[in-house]
Amino acid sequence: MTDIRALVATSTGGGDVLAVESRLEPSPGPGEVAVQVAAVGVNFIDVYQREGVYPTQTPFVIGNEGAGVVRSVGEGVHDLTPGDRVAWPFTLGSAAEVTVLPAARVVPVPDGVDLEIAAAALLQGLTAHFLTRSTFEVRPGTLALVHAAAGGVGRLLVQMITDLGGTVIATAGGPEKCEIARDLGAREVIDYREAKGDDLASEIEGAAHRLGREDGVDVAYDGVGAATFDASLASLRPRGLMVLFGGASGQVPPFDIQRLNSGGSLFLTRPTLAHHIATTEELRGRAAELLGAVAEGRLDVHVGGRYSWDDAASAYADLEGRRSTGKLLLLP
Ligand code: NDP
């Protein structure tokens, strides 16, 4: 048995609980594949697990998303062979030199898509995919609000909405991030470090008016949470849809349901990726569309930083400290 390196959360806490440790190389059981990991995606869910917001027994190997090359397959796996390039969006324990995954939870990486880009695209890309196709069906004429538009999910949302014929009002923190949102296709961009609370709500209203929509936006995509929720709700047209998909600034506190009535028969949903890739068919169908768009150059996936495992705490500090744009990767 050979030793491999793995990135471990040794206890619940901040970035200082992360350590690179030795583990025995795992072998695939029935229905599993062993993968030589090329890159691991950095996500907020890693933070929620490390901090215990999503309770996870410690010590555990961190990382939920990655890409690599199949080394060996377990009994009963017929659709993958050693040498295949694969990626996965949602399996805890990804940050190891060799990891074992259920074969049904990996997707093939098409020719023309680099493994690092596949690792960078999958979790956030599948999220943007279900948000624009299933949670709300974006069409020509849709007016959407996207917060944190220079971030991982945000950048992909802006591109997908625009590609589907919709129009985006974006928010981002600071002039550089606002410029990124504009370059990606957002028609109106608001720096929400400058405009907060009621000011933010009136800035969004003004932007919607300039785009010819007196009644407000059709859909608000909000992964920032506590800091933006009220302004998002206020931005909606009657019968518009509030999509709260995360809480980068903190979780939204309990909410008076009557606000949906006074806001104009509004809808509110709190969707999550797991329920949109529950079957292998849905996972691979969405991934094929997503990675196909990347291969054809219709979707730009930006890697905002690459970090060694020894420096993993810095990657999470940058994500949590709002210093990142696009996707951060951990490279073994
Ligand atoms: P991002 O790359 O978007 O990083 C988060 C961004 O949020 C920051 O860069 C920052 O952008 C903005 N932000 C605003 N306020 C804060 C704050 N107080 N602290 C930190 N960041 C803040 O991350 P992801 O794309 O990975 O994730 C975005 C959101 O989507 C997260 O809430 C995540 O949990 C959620 N998510 C949900 C999924 C689901 O299935 N529901 C799946 C994947 C992600 P700026 O500087 O421009 O303000």
Side-chain angles (χ1 to χ4, degrees):
M1 276 281 185
T2 331
D3 275 351
I4 55 155
R5 291 162 71 242
L7 186 53
V8 176
T10 52
S11 58
T12 301
D16 56 335
V17 306
L18 298 175
V20 179
E21 294 185 351
S22 270
R23 291 278 193 273
L24 281 181
E25 181 177 331
S27 322
E32 293 178 334
V33 289
V35 176
Q36 181 84 42
V37 176
V40 174
V42 170
N43 288 290
F44 265 93
I45 187 171
D46 311 340
V47 177
Y48 304 147
Q49 289 164 340
R50 193 197 67 214
E51 289 179 341
V53 177
Y54 293 173
T56 310
Q57 175 100 43
T58 58
F60 65 92
V61 176
I62 71 155
N64 290 273
E65 168 188 46
V69 177
V70 174
R71 271 169 82 95
S72 57
V73 303
E75 201 189 309
V77 176
H78 303 299
D79 56 351
L80 293 165
T81 49
D84 284 353
R85 293 170 353 113
V86 293
W88 58 96
F90 222 56
T91 306
L92 183 60
S94 299
E97 282 174 313
V98 177
T99 190
V100 162
L101 303 147
R105 302 314 292 163
V106 306
V107 303
V109 175
D111 291 344
V113 179
D114 183 270
L115 283 178
E116 282 190 13
I117 295 296
L122 217 51
L123 196 153
Q124 294 169 334
L126 290 171
T127 302
H129 188 277
F130 84 74
L131 289 173
T132 52
R133 269 85 173 175
S134 305
T135 307
F136 184 95
E137 235 175 287
V138 173
R139 296 166 190 206
T142 296
L143 180 61
L145 172 67
V146 175
H147 289 298
V153 179
R155 293 177 75 111
L156 298 166
L157 274 175
V158 174
Q159 293 181 70
M160 283 187 196
I161 293 165
T162 309
D163 198 42
L164 290 165
T167 301
V168 175
I169 298 174
T171 66
E176 252 174 64
K177 289 189 177 186
C178 287
E179 201 52 42
I180 291 171
R182 215 179 304 279
D183 287 348
L184 289 168
R187 288 276 298 281
E188 292 276 341
V189 183
I190 298 161
D191 183 346
Y192 61 3
R193 289 208 182 193
E194 301 296 325
K196 297 194 168 83
D198 289 347
D199 285 351
L200 177 57
S202 46
E203 289 271 345
I204 299 167
E205 195 185 345
H209 285 189
R210 285 193 291 281
L211 293 167
R213 290 289 297 270
E214 301 291 323
D215 54 350
V217 305
D218 300 304
V219 56
Y221 289 113
D222 191 339
V224 171
T228 46
F229 182 82
D230 287 343
S232 298
L233 208 61
S235 75
L236 289 167
R237 66 158 165 83
R239 293 160 57 188
L241 176 65
M242 169 75 204
V243 183
L244 178 71
F245 66 94
S249 69
Q251 301 305 320
V252 175
F255 162 83
D256 176 5
I257 218 157
Q258 283 303 331
R259 289 178 65 192
L260 299 178
N261 177 6
S262 55
S265 300
L266 303 177
F267 296 86
L268 165 68
T269 184
R270 194 347 184 152
T272 207
L273 176 61
H275 304 130
H276 294 81
I277 53 169
T279 64
T280 305
E281 197 186 358
E282 194 169 18
L283 167 66
R284 292 194 180 159
R286 288 190 195 278
E289 277 187 36
L290 173 76
L291 296 177
V294 175
E296 288 164 16
R298 284 188 290 119
L299 192 67
D300 176 56
V301 177
H302 175 74
V303 177
R306 294 172 172 81
Y307 301 75
S308 73
W309 290 5
D310 292 314
D311 198 24
S314 307
Y316 289 100
D318 286 346
L319 182 73
E320 294 169 65
R322 303 176 73 167
R323 289 186 290 277
S324 63
T325 66
K327 182 75 186 187
L328 305 184
L329 292 177
L330 300 172
L331 303 181

